Structures are given as C-alpha cells and as structure tokens.
Amino acid sequence: MAFDILQTDWTKARAKMAAWRAPIKARDIFTGTIVAESTTLNDLPVSKFVVRPRLEDGHLAPISKSFATDFEPCESEKSFYEHEWDLDEKVDQKSLCLPFNLTWLQAKPGRFDFHFELPAHVRCLGLGERFANLNIRGNTHTLFSTDNPNHNEHADMLYKSIPFLILNDGPLYSGIWLDSPAPQRWDLDTELSGTAKIELFSRLGFNLYVFAPTTLADLVCAFTALTGRSALPPLWSLGHQQCRWSYPDQATIRDLAHEFRSRKIPCDTLVLDIDYMDEYRVFTHSRERFPDFKKLAGELARDHFKLVTIVDPGVKKDEKFEVYRQGLSGDHFCKTARGEVFIETVWPGLSAFPDFLSEKTRQWWGDKLKFYVDNGIAGIWNDMNEPAMFNNQKPLPVPLVELPEAQSQLFMQQGENGAVGHFEVRNLYGFLMGQATHQALTRYRPKERPFVLTRSASTGIQRYAAVWLGDNSSWYEHLQKSLPMLLNMGLSGVPFAGVDIGGFGGDTTPELLVRWYEIGIFYPFFRNHCALMGRAQEPFSFSPKVEAMVRHLIETRYRLLPYIQDLFWMHRRTGAPLMRPLAWEFEDQVSRDCDDQFMFGDSIMVAPVVQPNQRSRRVYFPEGRWCTLESLLADHGAGVQIYEGGQTILVNCPLGSVPAFVREGSILPVADIMQSTAEYPSTDITFYAFGDRASSIHKDDDGISLDYQKQKYGEWMIYIHDGDFDARPIFNGLTRPKRRYFFMPSGSSKKLPCDLPQH
Ligand code: MIG
C-alpha cells in the first residue's frame, strides 16, 4: 500500500501505536447466562457453552440461530450425525475446568476475551482459510470475510471465516470452535509467552465448543458430525474446468470447446466470468456478445460440456431494472440504520445488496436463479460475496477495541430476531448466498446433484458449495502455499476445494503451468483460471510439448476419478478430507511437521516440485513401501519403481510427471482415459494393486442423481490375498453397472478380467 507522508493522520497513527503497546486490561462486565452442555460424537466428548450477555437495556441477548449446525441430514444418513446434548449442572464459568485452562470474560459490551495456554510444542492447525503454512501458530489471525487480492505475508483477513482451531500435542489433537459469525482475532502466542488469546467482537454472545483430545481423524469426524459434510458432487464437477476472466463472446466459447475436443484434452466444464452479462446485471446475458445464450448451452451439452456462470450479489441500482425494482418492493436489500437502501459500487456500478440473512430474501434470490436453470446453465459460481465493495474493502474500524453499536456497522440486516448490525453477521453473507443457491438448484432440478462454487464462506459451507481460495498469482510461492492452505481447509471441514491452476494474477509460464497441473490433478476442485490482463493459460496456449505434458496430467486426473469418488464417499461417512496432512495417516515426528507433501486419500502420497528449474527433490517416505503412481499405472510391463519407507530420498521429478507415490497395501480403482465424464458410465475400471495383501472399499453410482441417498448405489469390499483378487458386496442397491472390471496384480503388466458380484 502506498502512503503519503504529508498526509499522515497522526491521530489514527498514534491510536494504533498505543493500541499495540498497551494490552487492554479487561475487567469482566459479564452478567448474562451461560448454559453448559455436553455430548459425545462418535465416542468423543464434546462440551458446548451457550453464552448470552445482558444487553445495555437489561435484557438478555436473544439466542441467534447457528447456521453452522442447522441442517437436516437425509434419512439414510441420520446415524452419521446423531447426538444429544446433556445439560450440565455447573453453569458458573469460574468453576469450569477446561482444557488448556481456557477462560473468557466480557471486556466491553462489544468484546469478549478468551485466554488459553499454548505450551511451546503444541501445533495449531485449521482455522479455515489462512495464507500460511500448515502450522499457523505464532501469528494473529483475524476472521472477518474480506476480498483481499494481495496474498502475501501481510495478508490476514481473507475470504472465508471458519473459527475451528485444532491443537496438536504429540499424537493427540483437540479442538476449539467459537461458533459466532462476528469478527474475531485469534492471537496464537505471538508474544512467545505460551498463551493464546481470542478477541470476539460481538454484542450478542456465542456458542463455544471444546473437543476432547483424540486422533486427527476422529476430531474432524466429530467436528463435521456437528457442521455437516459435503454431499457427493456431480461427477462432471470433478472433471477438468476451464475458466478465465472473461471469455468475451459466444464464438470464443465455441472455439474453446472445439480446441479441447479436437486436441483431445479432457474437459467437462467451461466457465463464464462476469462479461457474459448485460452491463453486469445479475440474471441477464449480453444481447451483443452472448445473443444465443440458451442455444450455446445446448450446443455445448451435445459436445459433453457443462456451462457454469458467475453470479455476484450486487444488484445494479437502476429504476428500470426489474430485479432492482423487485428487490425494493419486496424489501430484499440491506439498509442503513436510517432505513435507506445501502448502496455501494461493484461491477454493475452503484448497487444494492440482497440481505441473505432474511429467509424471504434467500427464497427470492433462489426464485430469480431460475433464469440460469432455464438457460441450461449447469452450476453457479458465487463471487464477491464477502460482500466485496470497491470503496469499502476494509470496513472495520482500526484499531478495533470493541464492535461498534449496531447503527454504526455499515448497514443493518434482518435476522430472525429483528435487525442486526452487518458486522455481527458479515461472515455469514457468502455462506447464506451459497445456501440459497444450493437450495434453489435442488428445487429446480430435484433429480440432480447441484454444483455451487463460492469464494466467501463460513463454518458448514461444505454442505452447500465447493470453494476456491480466491485471487492467487502466477507465482511459485502461491503454488507452494496451495498445499498447506488446502490442507487446513480440509481440516476445517471443507474438502471440495482448490485454487486457480496456473495462478490468477499475472502471467504464468509454461513450466509453472505444468508444475501447477502436477499438483492440481489432486485438488478436489480442479479448475484453470486466469485474470483479465493475464496471458492465455489454457493447456494448449503454449508449445506442443507443454500441451502434451498437460494432456497427460489431465488424463491421469480422469483415470483417478473412481478413486476420487470413493474418497468423497469416505468423506461423506467420516468427514475425512481428500487432501490430508501426512500426520493424518502417520504418527512419526517427520510426518507431523511435513507440509510440502500430503496424502490424497489413504493410498496416494503427493510430493510435488514447487520451485522453478528444479528437476529433483527430497521426498520423505513414511513407514511401509511405496511405488510411483506413474509406474503403477503404466501398462508397459517395466515393473513398478519401489521406495522403502522410513527415510528421505532424493527423487527425480522430470517436468510433466505425476509427483505421487502409492502406499503398499493399496488397491486403486482406475478408469480409462476419457475426454469428459460423459464416457464414465461405460469406462472399464481396473483395480491396480500394490502389494500381495490389500483391501479397500469401492463404490459405484450414477454420478449425477441424489439416489445414492435413497440407497441406490453399489459398494464392495475389495481384497487382495496372496496376490489374488476377491470382491464382496457390502451394499447392493444398484443394477449391475454396464462396465467391465479388470484386476492388475502387483508388478504385472497383464490385466485380468474380474467381477464385482451382485450378492
Ligand atoms: O474484482 O469476476 O476472485 O476469480 O475472475 C474481481 C472477476 C472479481 C474476483 C474473483 C475472480 C474473478 C474476478 N473477480
């Protein structure tokens, strides 16, 4: 940020210096109520504290509904989420004995302070979207959803706010979840004094959850039993997605589709950024540049492409614009404390912002989305929903001593308990827009799995949307950061995540793009995206050599789709993310500290190159034996390349090779190369085994409908015993899939036909 020394605002600067220097000594002014409850989630003890301060008018703060925990699981999956809260006797917090000696007090009507101990060896993980490595200790983390395109060491507030912190002490992991959408500042021992502090800037109170120590897997299982899990995504959304800001017109989109198919680069989805609209008006398309909007989607569908469009919240302030008029007459927009519609500048110019906190507005927005469904748009991409505003990117007062009174919080929103200041609920804005979008798509296409992508999000977003981590740049540093950042997203309950492949800002280089695809094929959300001024970075934008490398990588992604779907199935039942830190699977010290490698499910370890001009790297192999994924999947009979675990080995990493290793005892279900997932229902599936003894679970379904929730799927236990293949049905709700199955014994180059029995 540039600043002009002659313009220094000394009053502000002094206040900030003073605020940093003097830790605010706080006296507890709390006179409200605390209700303590406890439960067990899959045998894990969890405590919950519902804290309601007394307001200045003498009333208790109303209990506001937690959108994070408010959901109804489908009938067949109720047992994954079942728990009951027991009311505890002790409700005086002074007598509570909490892990890490956690205590809190109310320092001001608009601020609560929490303190807990953080012994020197304790690692801190999770906390949603942080621009940081895996262990986020030693820094201050502000949770206040913000459109911050500068992802660098100064980046604090980002797009998402998920206040779930994992504390790792040796083999044990415990959790603290401060369930409140109000701004929070987590200081994870910046003073090196072994203490952590949270400031919660709220006038309304909170729910605090404390999870007892356990394994990482059990902790995330319990957390997602409370906050929900991702539904199975439509299969097409797991394929390759191509985007850029913006493909200018429909002819360009047609060309793009043609390039992918004629060059045989697999792709499922093309994405339209903001310029498909008429003057950036939501629920419109440009008559000049996209005159045949609906026809375009139809043509692309014949070529097995899906079309996804961006949808921003800002509604253009224009009395002649029907959506704006409806928003006014239906009272759907956020309003200032004086009752005027709040107006700020975003892409359409002066705009109004739907108040997604209000149920009737979510319904209205959902109704409007029918425009996209009627035009054959397959999925919706929500952007700018922090909400971002061109002249108001950092709306919180600095320094923040307590939350301003409701009337001074930029604008008001209408909750179930009446009007509430925006800051108090800002972190819910993107979540609720995503929820409205998800519910609308489900309403219009009840037989299909909805696809929603969102930039802003808060706890529980996985139930409604995939996420990407916003505006990264075409830098190796951001390629590297994508690993720990996505790992922490997964540990925070959000598995369906990715970052822009190739990098969003700036110009990518061919080498960077290839390295990015090497990792990107393991991002659950797999999309190439680039900003307005960046050079073209579609897979065919460079030399034939680069194109061949990227094609091979994308083909590998498609071959792994059966495995990827099995991982989503596993997530659905246990909360396990797809991308997992090594410590999820291994208990040794090196695994615990490692964040430049990760496990993709329990069978594949990814150890990528994230530096330019590097053609080898040291890879840590945890206990067991490992082989390269590429040598396992190559059918040329050269044999698999094996590494003994328990050591670090220098490994060659030629550009364009898949940087992944398979753990002994694994069976990978692998599809044939395909151009889009439309070919998936008839692909052969081959079970590649590494080791003479192995077992895994494989599932099959139609990849598109919600019937799996009505028991329409097939699930098998697959075994390798002394090198022989065996499969037993676990669940049989599917008519026999029309595909052939093969088994590739460990170290062999000859596939053997096999069968998945139907009972
Ligand atoms: O102010 O829609 O993060 O993915 O391409 C920029 C244009 C707005 C930011 C998103 C980016 C998108 C871009 N948007």
Side-chain angles (χ1 to χ4, degrees):
M1 194 192 307
F3 54 89
D4 179 352
I5 196 70
L6 298 175
Q7 296 291 320
T8 301
D9 180 337
W10 284 108
T11 315
K12 267 197 188 164
R14 281 211 175 90
K16 187 168 175 185
M17 285 188 276
W20 275 110
R21 216 171 292 136
I24 312 155
K25 287 214 186 61
R27 195 175 53 85
D28 192 6
I29 61 163
F30 185 77
T31 60
T33 60
I34 301 172
V35 177
E37 296 172 52
S38 58
T39 192
T40 55
L41 283 154
N42 300 304
D43 297 332
L44 185 71
V46 178
S47 325
K48 169 185 178 184
F49 305 92
V50 182
V51 177
R52 299 167 67 193
R54 195 167 302 284
L55 303 178
E56 277 152 308
D57 64 6
H59 290 100
L60 276 183
I63 294 191
S64 29
K65 141 164 153 186
S66 164
F67 288 93
T69 53
D70 182 57
F71 67 100
E72 201 37 57
C74 68
E75 214 37 62
S76 63
E77 296 181 345
K78 281 231 158 84
S79 64
F80 301 170
Y81 304 96
E82 250 159 35
H83 63 280
E84 261 172 46
W85 293 100
D86 295 327
L87 208 59
D88 288 356
E89 293 302 318
K90 320 167 282 188
V91 287
D92 169 16
Q93 75 135 323
K94 303 247 157 39
S95 65
L96 291 173
C97 179
L98 290 174
F100 298 96
N101 282 328
L102 191 146
T103 57
W104 73 82
L105 54 80
Q106 186 174 14
K108 303 248 173 201
R111 192 180 98 224
F112 297 84
D113 293 354
F114 301 69
H115 293 92
F116 54 98
E117 286 168 10
L118 217 46
H121 56 279
V122 170
R123 291 180 182 72
C124 299
L125 315 172
L127 218 59
E129 184 182 50
R130 309 307 314 161
F131 185 81
N133 287 331
L134 190 60
N135 184 354
I136 58 170
R137 186 182 172 127
N139 226 329
T140 302
H141 303 280
T142 310
L143 303 183
F144 185 70
S145 298
T146 300
D147 172 13
N148 178 2
N150 303 312
H151 299 188
N152 58 36
E153 289 227 16
H154 297 295
D156 177 10
M157 293 176 270
L158 287 171
Y159 317 90
K160 303 172 189 69
S161 301
I162 306 183
F164 174 58
L165 181 72
I166 297 175
L167 300 159
N168 171 217
D169 187 349
L172 291 177
Y173 297 80
S174 35
I176 297 176
W177 174 35
L178 183 48
D179 181 20
S180 159
Q184 312 181 9
R185 197 154 60 195
W186 293 57
D187 178 327
L188 301 178
D189 194 25
T190 56
E191 297 289 343
L192 307 176
S193 58
T195 54
K197 174 175 168 188
I198 312 168
E199 291 162 314
L200 168 68
F201 299 97
S202 171
R203 293 174 170 265
L204 293 180
F206 55 90
N207 300 323
L208 175 75
Y209 294 78
V210 179
F211 297 74
T214 181
T215 64
L216 188 51
D218 284 349
L219 177 63
V220 175
C221 181
F223 177 62
T224 54
L226 273 182
T227 57
R229 298 182 184 140
S230 167
L232 297 185
L235 177 58
W236 59 264
S237 70
L238 299 177
H240 183 225
Q241 306 204 15
Q242 180 66 55
C243 187
R244 89 157 283 150
W245 173 20
S246 291
Y247 294 116
D249 51 32
Q250 60 184 36
T252 310
I253 292 290
R254 287 197 181 105
D255 284 350
L256 190 64
H258 175 75
E259 292 297 328
F260 275 107
R261 291 294 178 255
S262 63
R263 293 166 185 270
K264 293 207 174 306
I265 299 171
C267 188
D268 265 83
T269 302
L270 305 178
V271 186
L272 299 183
D273 206 326
I274 46 178
D275 296 284
Y276 74 86
M277 287 178 273
D278 170 29
E279 296 184 312
Y280 304 130
R281 287 162 204 263
V282 64
F283 314 119
T284 68
H285 62 88
S286 157
R287 309 259 156 209
E288 292 83 52
R289 286 166 293 111
F290 287 86
D292 308 314
F293 197 53
K294 186 170 181 179
K295 205 169 136 221
L296 179 68
E299 283 171 16
L300 291 174
R302 258 169 271 136
D303 236 351
H304 306 305
F305 282 105
K306 305 282 180 188
L307 206 52
V308 164
T309 49
I310 199 170
V311 174
D312 291 355
V315 174
K316 189 176 179 65
K317 177 178 185 289
D318 172 356
E319 306 290 339
K320 294 196 209 87
F321 182 30
E322 175 63 16
V323 182
Y324 180 69
R325 282 209 310 258
Q326 275 182 18
L328 287 182
S329 62
D331 199 15
H332 294 305
F333 295 131
C334 297
K335 288 192 187 145
T336 65
R338 286 191 305 178
E340 291 152 3
V341 171
F342 175 81
I343 299 290
E344 237 278 18
T345 311
V346 263
W347 291 108
L350 293 178
S351 302
F353 297 83
D355 183 0
F356 292 113
L357 193 64
S358 141
E359 160 107 58
K360 79 169 182 196
T361 299
R362 294 200 294 277
Q363 183 73 32
W364 171 67
W365 191 259
D367 292 346
K368 304 305 303 171
L369 286 169
K370 189 158 187 299
F371 165 80
Y372 295 100
V373 175
D374 288 345
N375 280 291
I377 300 304
I380 300 291
W381 165 27
N382 287 155
D383 186 24
M384 305 290 278
N385 52 354
E386 291 71 26
M389 292 161 195
F390 289 169
N391 304 317
N392 226 328
Q393 294 290 49
K394 291 189 177 157
L396 272 187
V398 178
L400 184 58
V401 175
E402 68 170 322
L403 198 72
E405 307 235 9
Q407 309 83 276
S408 316
Q409 297 181 26
L410 201 62
F411 52 80
M412 305 290 284
Q413 295 191 245
Q414 294 299 323
E416 284 185 331
N417 300 314
V420 43
H422 168 62
F423 295 158
E424 197 79 66
V425 290
R426 175 179 174 95
N427 291 342
L428 280 171
Y429 198 88
F431 173 98
L432 291 172
M433 185 183 189
Q435 184 191 60
T437 306
H438 175 98
Q439 286 171 351
L441 292 182
T442 314
R443 191 147 35 96
Y444 293 125
R445 296 190 184 119
K447 295 210 161 76
E448 288 180 32
R449 304 176 190 176
F451 176 72
V452 181
L453 174 69
T454 183
R455 189 170 75 177
S456 186
S458 56
T459 317
I461 189 62
Q462 63 273 10
R463 306 198 302 265
Y464 307 118
V467 303
W468 95 108
L469 305 191
D471 298 345
N472 62 1
S473 294
S474 299
W475 300 338
Y476 282 89
E477 192 203 355
H478 282 179
L479 175 62
Q480 178 264 317
K481 273 293 184 299
S482 72
L483 268 65
M485 289 179 79
L486 290 169
L487 291 173
N488 275 331
M489 285 307 294
L491 296 180
S492 308
V494 189
F496 196 7
V499 307
D500 291 342
I501 292 172
F504 175 74
D507 296 327
T508 199
T509 66
E511 180 173 333
L512 177 59
L513 185 80
V514 172
R515 288 303 191 196
W516 218 309
Y517 269 102
E518 290 173 9
I519 304 176
I521 62 174
F522 300 102
Y523 294 156
F525 173 64
F526 179 47
R527 184 183 74 164
N528 176 331
H529 181 39
C530 169
L532 189 58
M533 300 308 287
R535 72 181 281 185
Q537 65 181 40
E538 291 78 16
F540 43 78
S541 308
F542 308 92
S543 68
K545 192 169 162 190
V546 171
E547 181 178 327
M549 288 180 191
V550 175
R551 178 188 297 108
H552 166 66
L553 293 166
I554 300 177
E555 286 173 352
T556 306
R557 163 72 172 212
Y558 277 80
R559 294 191 69 194
L560 289 174
L561 282 176
Y563 177 69
I564 294 172
Q565 291 182 91
D566 286 349
L567 292 182
F568 266 103
W569 181 235
M570 201 57 82
H571 164 79
R572 185 77 179 161
R573 288 177 310 165
T574 67
L578 285 75
M579 293 175 68
R580 309 169 186 170
L582 294 195
W584 185 283
E585 302 283 339
F586 303 97
E587 283 207 346
D588 61 280
Q589 178 78 31
V590 184
S591 291
R592 240 175 258 150
D593 279 328
C594 177
D595 67 359
D596 63 346
Q597 303 178 200
F598 64 93
M599 292 298 293
F600 186 62
D602 51 10
S603 298
I604 296 179
M605 178 175 72
V606 183
V609 165
V610 294
Q611 300 275 326
N613 300 316
Q614 199 179 329
R615 294 295 180 266
S616 63
R617 65 159 282 175
R618 272 179 285 275
V619 176
Y620 172 65
F621 292 92
E623 64 186 7
R625 291 205 311 161
W626 300 82
C627 73
T628 65
L629 177 65
E630 220 146 27
S631 69
L632 187 73
L633 298 190
D635 294 341
H636 51 56
V640 292
Q641 196 179 345
I642 292 177
Y643 296 91
E644 293 293 336
Q647 54 179 331
T648 298
I649 303 176
L650 189 70
V651 174
N652 282 334
C653 309
L655 195 61
S657 61
V658 179
F661 304 86
V662 179
R663 184 180 181 180
E664 183 163 41
S666 300
I667 309 170
L668 296 182
V670 175
D672 290 344
I673 292 172
M674 59 190 88
Q675 295 310 306
S676 80
T677 56
E679 295 168 42
Y680 191 88
S682 58
T683 180
D684 294 347
I685 287 181
T686 305
F687 295 96
Y688 284 83
F690 176 42
D692 289 337
R693 275 186 146 270
S695 66
S696 73
I697 288 174
H698 176 62
K699 171 185 181 269
D700 207 347
D701 62 26
D702 62 27
I704 188 82
S705 80
L706 293 162
D707 285 354
Y708 71 91
Q709 296 177 356
K710 296 186 219 124
Q711 314 280 31
K712 286 203 181 146
Y713 61 86
E715 191 181 12
W716 295 268
M717 194 79 201
I718 313 280
Y719 301 92
I720 310 291
H721 278 307
D722 298 331
D724 288 335
F725 180 90
D726 188 16
R728 302 196 194 136
I730 300 172
F731 188 78
N732 214 343
L734 196 69
T735 42
R736 176 179 289 269
K738 287 190 198 55
R739 60 170 98 255
R740 296 182 303 169
Y741 292 98
F742 294 91
F743 164 52
M744 179 73 97
S746 192
S748 163
S749 63
K750 195 165 162 19
K751 291 180 181 182
L752 309 169
C754 67
D755 197 20
L756 297 192
Q758 301 284 303
H759 264 313

